[in-house]
């Protein structure tokens, strides 16, 4: 049966890809986007756009006339650095929005809420790969806001709502914003390499991350609709693989021009040193794991970036 979903942030990297997937599955999508980091041109034309902030009462009131089968709250700002520059903005855009949308869910009797959380909630974990049972020690206001949102989800799950916090690790791939130099390690480095044949790395090249290709991430998000269990769950969407910053730079170097000038400088505040995720819980609850390895994913990303650099 045709379903209707709210996907917030459909003008952005992940929200637009998720909307495309949902349309391909034959369903309808409504989105709220304030176009702060997203582009209208990313929103598939079949998607109904309500332009504005997710944390605005006016927008929330507009959403009350719909009967959503699930809400995917993807919109948000995803820069740790910006969260330090403007913590109130971060709180409103990432956390207040979550609380208001959960309240909406209850009011319109929508029973499924899926949230774009982040691996940043863990901080620097004691044990790797980090599992969902590990302590959370956020190092940035961004991560504090994501963890607070998760806790709102947990409380709302006691109100007969199924709530799922998906802890995204570092997403990359075609569709990522190549002009936003505040978010997305791969897109930032790739954009620098293609535009100036130079990469400025802020922080230690031995730092490491867990990169997840956009198609894998979208399949993970989609599979969470039919996950096992009710109430609240927090689930890693990760590849389980460790890739250092240096490996990312080398990979770009090998796939772009092969002679890139690399500079290293001081890191950004609240940056985690190294993290990669355990994939077991996602496999158990979602029956999902990643399929695209980093080198193959990067080749596709570089090809796409060369064609779309000036857009
Ligand atoms: N990309 C990643 O690697 C990653 C990792 C962890 C978590 N996340 C989370 O996933 C979500 C999507 O990330 P993305 O990479 O697609 O970012 P993005 O910037 O490409 O997309 C975010 C979209 O949300 C919109 N938006 C932002 N604040 C809004 C608000 N208050 N109201 C309405 N619209 C708003 C933007 O205009 C944009 O279209 C974010 O919540 C982010 O924190 C992303």
């Amino acid at each position: 049966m045709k379903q209707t979903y709210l996907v917030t942030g459909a003008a952005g990297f992940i929200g637009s890809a998720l909307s495309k997937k949902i349309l391909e599955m034959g369903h309808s999508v409504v989105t709220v986007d304030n176009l702060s980091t997203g582009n209208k041109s990313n929103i598939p034309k079949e998607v109904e756009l309500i332009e504005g902030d997710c944390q605005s009462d006016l927008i929330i009131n507009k959403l009350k006339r719909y009967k959503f089968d699930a809400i995917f709250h993807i919109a948000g700002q995803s820069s740790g650095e910006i969260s330090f520059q403007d913590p109130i903005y971060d709180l409103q855009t990432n956390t207040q929005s979550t609380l208001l949308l959960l309240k909406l869910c209850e009011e319109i009797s929508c029973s499924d809420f899926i949230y774009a959380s982040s691996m940043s909630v863990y901080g620097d974990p004691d044990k790797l790969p980090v599992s969902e049972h590990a302590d959370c020690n956020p190092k940035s206001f961004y991560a504090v806001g994501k963890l607070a949102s998760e806790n709102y989800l947990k409380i709302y799950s006691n109100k007969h709502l199924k709530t799922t916090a998906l802890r995204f690790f570092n997403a990359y791939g075609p569709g990522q914003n190549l002009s936003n130099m505040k978010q997305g390690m791969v897109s930032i480095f790739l954009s620098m390499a293609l535009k100036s044949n130079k990469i400025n790395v802020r922080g230690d090249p031995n730092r490491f991350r867990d990169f997840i290709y956009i198609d894998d991430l979208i399949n993970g998000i989609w599979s969470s609709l039919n996950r096992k269990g009710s109430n609240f769950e927090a689930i890693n969407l990760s590849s389980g693989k460790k890739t250092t910053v240096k490996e990312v730079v080398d990979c770009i170097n090998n796939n772009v021009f092969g002679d890139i000038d690399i500079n290293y400088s001081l890191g950004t505040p609240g940056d985690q040193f190294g993290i990669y995720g355990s994939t077991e819980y996602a496999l158990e609850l979602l029956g999902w794991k990643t399929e695209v390895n980093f080198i193959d994913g990067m080749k596709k990303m570089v090809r796409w970036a060369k064609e779309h650099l000036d857009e």
Side-chain angles (χ1 to χ4, degrees), residues 8-16 31-40 42-43 50-56 59 73-79 89 92-94 97 115-120 142 146 166-172 175-177 180 183-185 210 212 214 217:
T8 65
F13 174 42
I14 297 170
S16 62
T31 191
V32 175
D33 201 301
N34 62 11
L35 306 179
S36 54
T37 54
N39 275 316
K40 220 177 194 164
N42 289 337
I43 305 175
I50 299 173
E51 196 173 325
D53 295 327
C54 291
Q55 69 273 25
S56 134
I59 297 293
H73 183 28
I74 308 294
Q77 85 80 21
S78 41
S79 156
Y89 165 71
Q92 290 169 337
T93 205
N94 285 359
S97 65
Y115 179 59
S117 187
S118 161
M119 57 85 187
S120 65
Y142 166 73
K146 288 285 177 187
L166 298 173
R167 293 178 176 163
F168 301 169
F169 282 62
N170 284 57
Y172 73 100
Q176 202 162 12
N177 191 333
N180 186 339
Q183 66 188 54
M185 188 188 290
D210 181 328
I212 173 163
I214 185 69
L217 183 77

Side-chain angles (χ1 to χ4, degrees), residues 67-168:
K67 179 104 197 60
F68 295 120
D69 293 285
I71 292 180
F72 294 88
H73 183 28
I74 308 294
Q77 85 80 21
S78 41
S79 156
E81 196 178 353
I82 289 178
S83 80
F84 282 109
Q85 287 162 1
D86 195 345
I88 304 293
Y89 165 71
D90 181 79
L91 182 70
Q92 290 169 337
T93 205
N94 285 359
T95 313
Q96 189 179 333
S97 65
T98 307
L99 179 56
L100 290 175
L101 286 165
L102 282 163
K103 201 160 155 271
L104 170 80
C105 230
E106 196 181 21
E107 281 174 36
I108 63 171
S109 302
C110 169
S111 56
D112 211 336
F113 190 94
I114 292 154
Y115 179 59
S117 187
S118 161
M119 57 85 187
S120 65
V121 297
Y122 293 116
D124 287 319
D126 292 334
K127 201 169 159 242
L128 291 168
V130 65
S131 93
E132 292 80 348
H133 308 296
D135 288 346
C136 289
N137 292 302
K139 292 177 77 179
S140 64
F141 291 124
Y142 166 73
V144 167
K146 288 285 177 187
L147 189 57
S149 288
E150 288 196 6
N151 283 316
Y152 284 120
L153 262 70
K154 209 182 272 180
I155 290 177
Y156 267 86
S157 76
N158 298 330
K159 301 184 175 199
H160 312 291
L161 178 64
K162 188 171 130 200
T163 59
T164 311
L166 298 173
R167 293 178 176 163
F168 301 169

Side-chain angles (χ1 to χ4, degrees), residues 190-200 257 260-261 309:
L190 190 52
S191 168
M192 287 179 189
L194 291 173
K195 286 178 187 161
S196 61
N197 207 32
K198 215 187 262 176
I199 298 180
N200 295 319
F257 307 113
I260 293 169
D261 186 11
L309 195 60

